[in-house]
Amino acid sequence: MTGELAAAGAPIRPGSPGRTVAPAERGALRVADRVVSKIAAQAAREALDVLPPDAGPPHATVVVHHGVARVRIGLELEYPSDIGAQCAAVRRQVTQRVRMLAGMEVPEVAVQVQGLHSAQARGAAEGRTQ
């Protein structure tokens, strides 16, 4: 009878040969905050069309609690540009990539623009003679 129930998809008693284990009893997966922050930083780079040549790469700090990730991204942008649209693109990409790759909900992505790099100022500095 046990074999018939197992074939029908019913759980088999613990200790029985061919035992199926309920998903909740199989264990757990924990993705480290450090890994989620790397995913988020890479996603921010992907979201930006062009990084200023003299800017550092985006960096992320993440707090994960019960499968929910709260992300803070620090980045530098080209000026002039549509800063709001770039930040929105970063939030969307980070949310999507963390959800897809780490399996976490992302209710909050705070984007902090830490610097603006002017192409005009850069060009003027390069054109100066000493």
Side-chain angles (χ1 to χ4, degrees):
M1 179 114 134
T2 302
E4 293 171 14
L5 288 177
I12 301 174
R13 290 180 295 178
S16 303
R19 173 182 175 226
T20 58
V21 180
E25 296 177 18
R26 292 183 193 150
L29 172 66
R30 179 172 174 349
V31 179
D33 294 12
R34 178 181 83 211
V35 173
V36 179
S37 69
K38 288 182 180 184
I39 292 169
Q42 176 61 36
R45 278 190 293 275
E46 293 169 0
L48 298 172
D49 293 331
V50 178
L51 286 175
D54 50 346
H59 64 275
T61 55
V62 176
V63 175
V64 177
H65 187 68
H66 296 297
V68 176
R70 299 196 186 283
V71 181
R72 180 175 303 276
I73 301 284
L75 49 81
E76 299 174 28
L77 298 174
E78 189 73 38
Y79 180 82
S81 65
D82 188 347
I83 295 169
Q86 289 181 349
C87 291
V90 167
R91 280 191 291 276
R92 277 191 306 274
Q93 183 73 2
V94 168
T95 299
Q96 177 188 15
R97 300 292 280 170
V98 170
R99 186 177 293 144
M100 183 176 66
L101 295 174
M104 296 180 180
E105 287 301 312
V106 185
E108 176 184 342
V109 177
V111 179
Q112 182 177 18
V113 178
Q114 297 176 325
L116 295 173
H117 296 266
S118 171
Q120 293 173 344
R122 194 170 40 253
E126 291 171 358
R128 290 186 191 148
T129 57
Q130 294 188 12

